[in-house]
Amino acid sequence: MTLTYVDWAIVVAYFVLSAGIGLLFTKKGGESLSEYFLSGRNVPWWLAGASMVATTFAADTPLVVTGLVVAHGVAGNWLWWNMLMSGMLTVFFFARLWRRANVMTDVEFAEIRYAGKPAAVLRGFRALYLAIPINLIILGWVTRAMIKILTISLGLHDVQIFGSTVSGEVLAVGICFVITVAYSSAAGMWAVLWTDLVQFVIKMTAVIVLAVFAVKAVGGMGALKSGLATHFGSETAALSVIPLSVSPSGGFMAYAWMPLLSLAVFLSVQWWAAWYPGAEPGGGGYVAQRIFSAKTERDGVLATLFFQVAHYALRPWPWIVTGLATILLYPNLVDKESGYVHAFVDLLPTPWRGFMMAGMAAAYMSTVGTQLNWGASYLVNDVYRRFIVPGTGQAISTPERAARYDRLLRLTAIGAAAFLVVGWAVAQFGGRIELWWAAWVVAALVLVALMARRSFRSGSPGESHFVTVSRWATVALFLMSIIVTMHLGTIEGAWKLLLALGAGTGLVLILRWYWWRINAWSEISAMVASLVVSVIALNTIPQRFAKGDPRIDAWVMLVTVAVSTVIWLSVTFLTSPEPDSILNSFYRRVRPGGTGWATVSKRLGYGREPIPGGRLAWVNWIAGIVAVYGTLFGIGKLVFGEIVPGIVLCAIALIAFAWIARSMDRGSGRWSESPVGTAAPAPSTGD
């Protein structure tokens, strides 16, 4: 693809705008850790919600959706559409509780809900697990996708850097990465939020325009539907949003790629049982981070609701339409996902080519910016501040300062050694590692230690010190992610192993909010059991089926969830509950209500409180699901020219949205009026 000066001007203007936003918020983001990671907890709902949507629109997302619709038609998207039910659970049952918890990260929750060393271990382990392996693999994944996009679209020439040959595509991605690191490390969450908003507008405009050109290229919507009917055997098989067909006898018949068992697991088990980054049961990750950043409980709930609507209902159709068009435009393409890139290379004229390239850069940078800030928040708040320099704000003696610094140096040395060992191991298994990149990573770790030294000498470190460490942690994550990206092909197998830790943990992550009896050992045993059981299941169940049978994943999920649930429930009742002091403190802070906390709420003088929102929370959850699916399917019907069904579905969605708005305004339960994280006073018992 050849870009004109106009196209390049658009791309450069986008980069300048992104960098300018970072410079604008650098001073404000550096005021404190709260400003750096949570924007001072002063973000309006529309900005927090837009940032959630932008983060999940990565550079590889349109390519993945294209691959799904080429293989299975529109219904192939149920592989991720099913997670809406978990998302709506977060909106009406968890968003306001997260906001009340007054934590900086979701893993900090462990030490306000549980007590003692088990809570500390759980917090530290999850922080490191999410910040390093999970986070770096996500960064590597999206970076590899961006390199793939640029390789197909631009075909840039190799260049020489420090005597090494670097492909032009890698250099181009590196420019995007460096700019993202610059504004996200300098200004923190404020820069991430505002660039996310700009990036979301740019990339949505670009993909909508591409969908229009793609439909025109195949001869219009009628020609597209006709061609798809020929390819899939019928128009229904191609465009139906339900992965079922009606048999000649009048019964339902599943498609080969989605047996009834798999569909049942998607719709009734997976969405609440499995932990997955960005779709955590009970909320968590960067979604929770945006909720923490919101001005009020109401803003947190509205932001999460907006995210569900935009993520599932408004955003997919431009990708789907373009993906379907690639079936007719590139029937012999081996890499089906790359059809999306070929479409914008072949179909878009100037200036839309430049706009699309800016959109792809925006999709990549919005995800990277969030992952870097999110990962750094774990390393600083839950590892460095919690375990390396505890007791911030208290007077400390010279021996204590020396001990703290010694702990930091030991941790740095262990991290550097572990990194080099991993690099050596990668080389032994056929990978390669550039020692100069490894040296940069080790240097970054050592530099963090040196930056801390002055604060340790002068007394207890202040907020400015932690902001500085946060910036360097962001840079360190950037450097480590480069190594992961370079060797992603050698560690892709680790992805399933890492996610296996969350395969059966969803229920305990939900119930920890609404049942006082859950303790730290419940979570720990759920994680261990899920890992062990899923590994065993993955090595035994596939032997009972033909290779590639979609029922394998369904059985692995069912077995993992069933066995791990029995294990963590048994551990819960075999171990002691959390101390009354912790349960009382947590309840006063969050006020979850419900039958599961009745014993505690009565003891504190609150009586038998309902959950926030009461019974309406369940009604709103169902209404939210109806509203989003109604909007999603209604827009799809309108796009493909089925006007009457489309209007009916959109009308049903509108009624559901109206119900939610009315219940939130009038009767959905108390909104906390006290400052975030403060305990609401117990009512008088009359004693």
Side-chain angles (χ1 to χ4, degrees):
M1 179 174 70
T2 302
L3 298 181
T4 67
Y5 287 114
V6 174
D7 295 319
W8 281 116
I10 292 172
V11 174
V12 171
Y14 161 71
F15 285 143
V16 171
L17 178 61
S18 297
I21 291 174
L23 291 174
L24 181 64
F25 287 102
T26 296
K27 183 177 180 181
K28 189 172 184 62
E31 291 177 359
S32 66
L33 270 192
S34 177
E35 291 289 348
Y36 192 82
F37 288 127
L38 300 179
S39 298
R41 303 185 190 270
N42 196 35
V43 179
W45 68 267
W46 51 269
L47 183 57
S51 180
M52 294 181 196
V53 186
T55 295
T56 54
F57 186 164
D60 66 328
T61 312
L63 280 66
V64 172
V65 171
T66 296
L68 289 174
V69 300
V70 169
H72 308 304
V74 173
N77 287 284
W78 276 104
L79 293 174
W80 63 281
W81 281 349
N82 73 88
M83 301 307 294
L84 167 67
M85 289 175 278
S86 176
M88 278 298 168
L89 210 63
T90 300
V91 173
F92 295 110
F93 290 88
F94 301 104
R96 65 172 78 190
L97 301 185
W98 275 121
R99 186 66 178 80
R100 293 176 186 178
N102 193 32
V103 291
M104 188 166 291
T105 66
D106 56 322
V107 300
E108 185 182 342
F109 173 88
E111 290 198 297
I112 69 167
R113 176 63 176 82
Y114 313 125
K117 287 185 178 180
V121 169
L122 181 62
R123 177 181 179 179
F125 171 77
R126 286 189 65 86
L128 291 171
Y129 162 69
L130 292 171
I132 299 178
I134 289 291
N135 195 31
L136 294 182
I137 289 175
I138 293 172
L139 286 168
W141 213 281
V142 298
T143 300
R144 294 284 291 189
M146 190 62 182
I147 292 173
K148 177 180 179 179
I149 290 169
L150 294 180
T151 299
I152 297 172
S153 60
L154 295 181
L156 300 175
H157 298 294
D158 294 348
V159 295
Q160 294 290 320
I161 299 179
F162 301 119
S164 299
T165 301
V166 179
S167 71
E169 292 80 11
V170 172
L171 180 61
V173 172
I175 293 172
C176 296
F177 210 154
V178 168
I179 293 174
T180 308
V181 171
Y183 70 68
S184 59
S185 62
M189 181 57 74
W190 278 116
V192 172
L193 290 171
W194 282 103
T195 53
D196 275 353
L197 179 63
V198 172
Q199 289 160 351
F200 179 62
V201 172
I202 292 173
K203 54 196 179 186
M204 279 306 301
T205 302
V207 297
I208 291 171
V209 169
L210 177 59
V212 172
F213 276 94
V215 172
K216 288 182 178 179
V218 299
M221 189 59 71
L224 175 62
K225 293 166 71 174
S226 176
L228 292 174
T230 301
H231 178 82
F232 285 98
S234 70
E235 185 177 310
T236 300
L239 302 182
S240 173
V241 295
I242 306 299
L244 294 171
S245 60
V246 180
S247 65
S249 61
F252 289 109
M253 184 171 59
Y255 294 124
W257 63 271
M258 179 69 81
L260 288 176
L261 174 65
S262 299
L263 180 61
V265 169
F266 274 132
L267 297 181
S268 61
V269 178
Q270 180 169 304
W271 60 269
W272 59 263
W275 178 93
Y276 188 85
E280 301 88 347
Y286 51 78
V287 172
Q289 188 185 34
R290 299 320 190 263
I291 296 172
F292 305 153
S293 303
K295 284 183 177 180
T296 63
E297 279 183 27
R298 187 180 181 84
D299 282 283
V301 172
L302 289 175
T304 316
L305 178 60
F306 174 76
F307 169 52
Q308 309 306 322
V309 176
H311 179 63
Y312 292 102
L314 303 182
R315 203 177 56 179
W317 285 110
W319 305 334
I320 293 171
V321 169
T322 302
L324 292 171
T326 64
I327 297 174
L328 307 185
L329 293 171
Y330 311 105
N332 300 317
L333 200 62
V334 176
D335 182 358
K336 302 301 183 183
E337 291 185 357
S338 68
Y340 194 90
V341 184
H342 285 286
F344 76 70
V345 169
D346 297 338
L347 304 179
L348 292 180
T350 298
W352 291 115
R353 284 186 175 183
F355 209 85
M356 175 57 77
M357 292 308 301
M360 287 292 104
Y364 171 69
M365 293 167 68
S366 63
T367 301
V368 168
T370 287
Q371 296 298 141
L372 290 174
N373 185 270
W374 175 59
S377 71
Y378 289 139
L379 293 178
V380 176
N381 184 67
D382 301 298
V383 178
Y384 181 78
R385 190 173 193 172
R386 169 62 181 85
F387 296 103
I388 304 300
V389 287
T392 301
Q394 301 174 3
I396 55 176
S397 63
T398 299
E400 173 61 17
R401 288 198 295 270
R404 290 181 179 184
Y405 188 58
D406 184 57
R407 288 198 298 269
L408 178 60
L409 287 178
R410 288 201 303 268
L411 185 64
T412 302
I414 292 171
F419 185 84
L420 292 176
V421 169
V422 169
W424 174 85
V426 166
Q428 304 311 303
F429 285 94
R432 61 187 179 87
I433 187 162
E434 301 287 351
L435 291 180
W436 65 286
W437 278 118
W440 271 109
V441 174
V442 174
L445 293 172
V446 173
L447 189 57
V448 170
L450 294 177
M451 293 298 297
R453 187 172 185 177
R454 182 176 179 181
S455 294
F456 290 156
R457 284 178 172 176
S458 60
S460 185
E463 285 292 300
S464 61
H465 164 76
F466 288 111
V467 171
T468 300
V469 172
S470 300
R471 286 169 171 159
W472 283 109
T474 303
V475 174
L477 284 172
F478 155 62
L479 294 174
M480 287 188 285
S481 71
I482 292 174
I483 304 297
V484 172
T485 301
M486 292 167 60
H487 303 286
L488 190 60
T490 65
I491 62 172
E492 285 180 3
W495 180 246
K496 284 188 177 181
L497 185 63
L498 291 172
L499 293 182
L501 276 171
T505 59
L507 189 58
V508 74
L509 295 179
I510 291 172
L511 290 181
R512 64 183 183 173
W513 289 96
Y514 286 106
W515 187 25
W516 71 274
R517 192 60 182 79
I518 298 291
N519 59 30
W521 292 110
S522 305
E523 279 200 50
I524 294 171
S525 62
M527 293 174 63
V528 173
S530 295
L531 173 62
V532 174
V533 174
S534 56
V535 169
I536 295 173
L538 285 169
N539 283 281
T540 56
I541 291 176
Q543 300 174 10
R544 300 175 178 272
F545 297 90
K547 186 177 181 180
D549 192 317
R551 291 175 295 177
I552 293 174
D553 291 337
W555 276 111
V556 169
M557 175 63 66
L558 289 174
V559 170
T560 302
V561 171
V563 176
S564 60
T565 300
V566 170
I567 290 173
W568 72 254
L569 277 174
S570 300
V571 170
T572 299
F573 287 111
L574 290 172
T575 54
S576 300
E578 297 298 334
D580 285 349
S581 58
I582 286 290
L583 297 175
N584 294 346
S585 172
F586 177 78
Y587 192 89
R588 289 193 182 100
R589 183 172 189 155
V590 176
R591 299 283 294 280
T595 303
W597 284 95
T599 301
V600 178
S601 64
K602 290 178 180 178
R603 181 171 69 226
L604 294 175
Y606 293 104
R608 193 181 180 91
E609 290 190 306
I611 63 173
R615 294 179 180 177
L616 276 179
W618 290 104
V619 179
N620 286 342
W621 176 64
I622 295 171
I625 294 171
V626 170
V628 174
Y629 281 145
T631 304
L632 171 65
F633 302 152
I635 292 175
K637 293 293 185 182
L638 295 174
V639 166
F640 293 113
E642 300 179 43
I643 304 301
V644 174
I647 292 176
V648 170
L649 286 168
C650 289
I652 292 173
L654 186 62
I655 292 171
F657 279 127
W659 167 268
I660 293 171
R662 180 178 180 275
S663 65
M664 289 181 69
D665 283 338
R666 297 186 180 182
S668 65
R670 61 184 185 275
W671 299 99
S672 177
E673 300 295 335
S674 54
V676 176
T678 58
S684 171
T685 61
D687 293 336

